[in-house]
Amino acid sequence: MQARYAGQCAACARRIEPAAQIARSADGSTWVHAACAGATLPATRTPKKKAPRVLTPDEPVPAGTTEVFTDGACRGNPGPGGWAWAVAGGPEGSGHDPATTNQRMEVRAAYEAIRALPGTLVVVSDSTYVVNCFKNSWWTGWRARGWINSAKKPVANRDLWEPLIDLVEDRGDITFRWVKGHSGHPMNDRVDQLAVEASHTVGG
């Protein structure tokens, strides 16, 4: 068969000129030079997923991106806790755990926000524990070492970190930002209120 258009041979990577003799590849998936028809195609490389970005405090939120604020609270640490997320002028969510820690609730809040909201997100948290995981790529080291941290101990809260990191990586449209807690930011104050209220729903 003659090629009607110019292209690239999937076997040898050379240009296919219009009117050149072509044939289906050995596996039938694409077109190659007729002389390359029996060749084994090179292995397809899996595209490397982009690491999530962390915005600076004064960096504008990109157009078309939803900004969601998250927070966790715990009474006693460990003790009864709550997590919350909220979008300004939009939806909110919260929940509780009868026996937890503040750090666990911060991670859970981010996870629940991402799970609940479609589209490109900026997750705004006052937890350096959450934000620095992505800013400093802690997660890549954890995975490479089999979920052992730099101190050669098992990563704390892996049961929450692992699904959060998987979700962020699979989505590919999540960005993080740190905000100073209890600094008068209305949305940070709102999610703090929701998380504290959620912690109080657990047995008083």
Side-chain angles (χ1 to χ4, degrees):
M1 177 182 288
Q2 288 187 334
R4 296 179 60 189
Y5 310 104
Q8 184 180 38
C9 177
C12 70
R14 295 197 306 270
R15 179 179 169 84
I16 295 176
E17 298 291 347
Q21 291 297 314
I22 58 174
R24 283 284 183 184
S25 60
D27 65 1
S29 65
T30 187
W31 292 100
V32 297
H33 290 114
C36 297
T40 301
L41 298 184
T44 302
R45 294 181 64 187
T46 302
K48 186 177 180 181
K49 294 181 180 180
K50 292 172 59 178
R53 290 186 61 230
V54 175
L55 300 180
T56 62
D58 57 352
E59 194 171 347
V61 175
T65 298
T66 298
E67 190 174 39
V68 57
F69 289 78
T70 67
D71 201 12
C74 192
R75 294 187 293 121
N77 202 30
W83 55 264
W85 59 264
V87 176
E92 299 178 340
S94 63
H96 62 266
D97 190 315
T100 189
T101 67
N102 188 70
Q103 287 189 330
R104 288 182 64 82
M105 292 295 90
E106 295 282 6
V107 178
R108 178 78 182 275
Y111 173 74
E112 296 292 349
I114 296 168
R115 194 173 71 155
L117 298 170
T120 307
L121 300 177
V122 174
V123 177
V124 185
S125 171
D126 61 13
S127 168
T128 55
Y129 183 57
V130 169
V131 175
N132 285 350
C133 173
F134 298 98
K135 181 180 180 181
N136 299 326
S137 296
W138 294 346
W139 61 285
T140 59
W142 293 343
R143 277 184 173 170
R145 293 186 294 266
W147 290 90
I148 299 298
N149 63 24
S150 58
K152 299 183 179 180
K153 296 180 179 180
V155 172
N157 307 317
R158 174 183 174 179
D159 61 315
L160 294 176
W161 274 123
E162 194 163 9
L164 171 61
I165 291 165
D166 286 347
L167 182 58
V168 168
E169 190 176 38
D170 289 344
R171 284 274 297 262
D173 56 2
I174 310 300
T175 303
F176 290 84
R177 189 205 301 274
W178 180 78
V179 63
K180 183 177 175 62
H182 308 287
S183 60
H185 191 293
M187 288 305 299
N188 178 253
D189 289 347
R190 175 58 180 161
V191 288
D192 176 69
Q193 176 190 0
L194 290 172
V196 170
E197 288 175 354
S199 76
H200 281 273
T201 66
V202 192

